[in-house]
Amino acid sequence: MTSFDLASLGRLGASLQQTVVSDRLSPSYLFEGADHDLVREAAVSFASLVLGADAEGEARARVARQVAQGTHPDLHVQGKDKATVISVAALAAVLEDAHGSPVAGRRQVYLIDPAEAMEPEGIARYLKALEEPPGGTVFV
C-alpha cells in the first residue's frame, strides 16, 4: 500500500484531520468514489490517523506502518466473505466484536471494504448498531 496523504483531499482532508485532532469522531464514515483503490487508500490513511491520534514521533510512525501492513491490533478489515457479498453472518460477527475494547489505544477501527457489498439485511443490522454505537469504535 502506498502512503496516501489526506491533505491531498484539500478541505475535506483538512476537515477529517481536524475531526481526529479535536477528538470529535463520528461512529461511522463512508468513503466513496470512482477509483476504488484511491478510495481504499484514503480510508486506510484515515484509519491510521484515528489509531495514531494519541501517539507522537516514532510511535505514530509505528502505528502508520502497522496499519499499512494490516497488522495493527485495533484495525479490523472485513471484506467479501462470499464471491460477491459481505454476508449477514460475517457482518453480525463484526458488529458483535466491535463492542469489545481496543487492544493498543483508545480506539479501534473497522474497515468494511467494499461497503456496497453488504447484503441488505446486513446493512439494516449495521444501521441499527449505529443507533447505539460502541464507544471507542469507528467504522469506515
Side-chain angles (χ1 to χ4, degrees):
M1 163 118 345
T2 60
S3 177
F4 182 88
D5 184 6
L6 284 178
S8 68
L9 297 176
R11 289 190 342 211
L12 175 60
S15 178
L16 289 170
Q17 290 175 331
Q18 182 58 37
T19 297
V20 174
V21 168
S22 65
D23 201 25
R24 296 178 52 103
L25 288 165
S26 295
S28 182
Y29 293 84
L30 177 63
F31 286 68
E32 178 181 32
D35 184 340
H36 180 264
D37 292 334
L38 185 61
V39 169
R40 187 172 199 289
E41 285 186 46
V44 170
S45 180
F46 180 66
S48 180
L49 186 63
V50 169
L51 294 172
D54 295 329
E56 294 183 19
E58 178 52 36
R60 182 173 286 177
R62 184 178 65 251
V63 168
R65 282 192 304 274
Q66 289 176 319
V67 169
Q69 295 167 354
T71 60
H72 193 284
D74 291 324
L75 175 65
H76 311 278
V77 179
Q78 177 62 58
K80 296 175 188 173
D81 63 312
K82 294 187 176 180
T84 60
V85 299
I86 299 172
S87 70
V88 173
L91 195 58
V94 164
L95 295 174
E96 184 176 324
D97 189 47
H99 284 278
S101 297
V103 174
R106 289 188 313 130
R107 299 201 187 286
Q108 57 187 349
V109 174
Y110 284 80
L111 180 63
I112 311 298
D113 181 40
E116 65 270 12
M118 288 188 284
E119 292 182 317
E121 185 182 334
I123 292 170
R125 286 185 181 197
Y126 172 72
L127 293 173
K128 184 72 174 163
L130 290 180
E131 289 178 6
E132 295 183 31
T137 298
V138 176
F139 292 98
V140 179

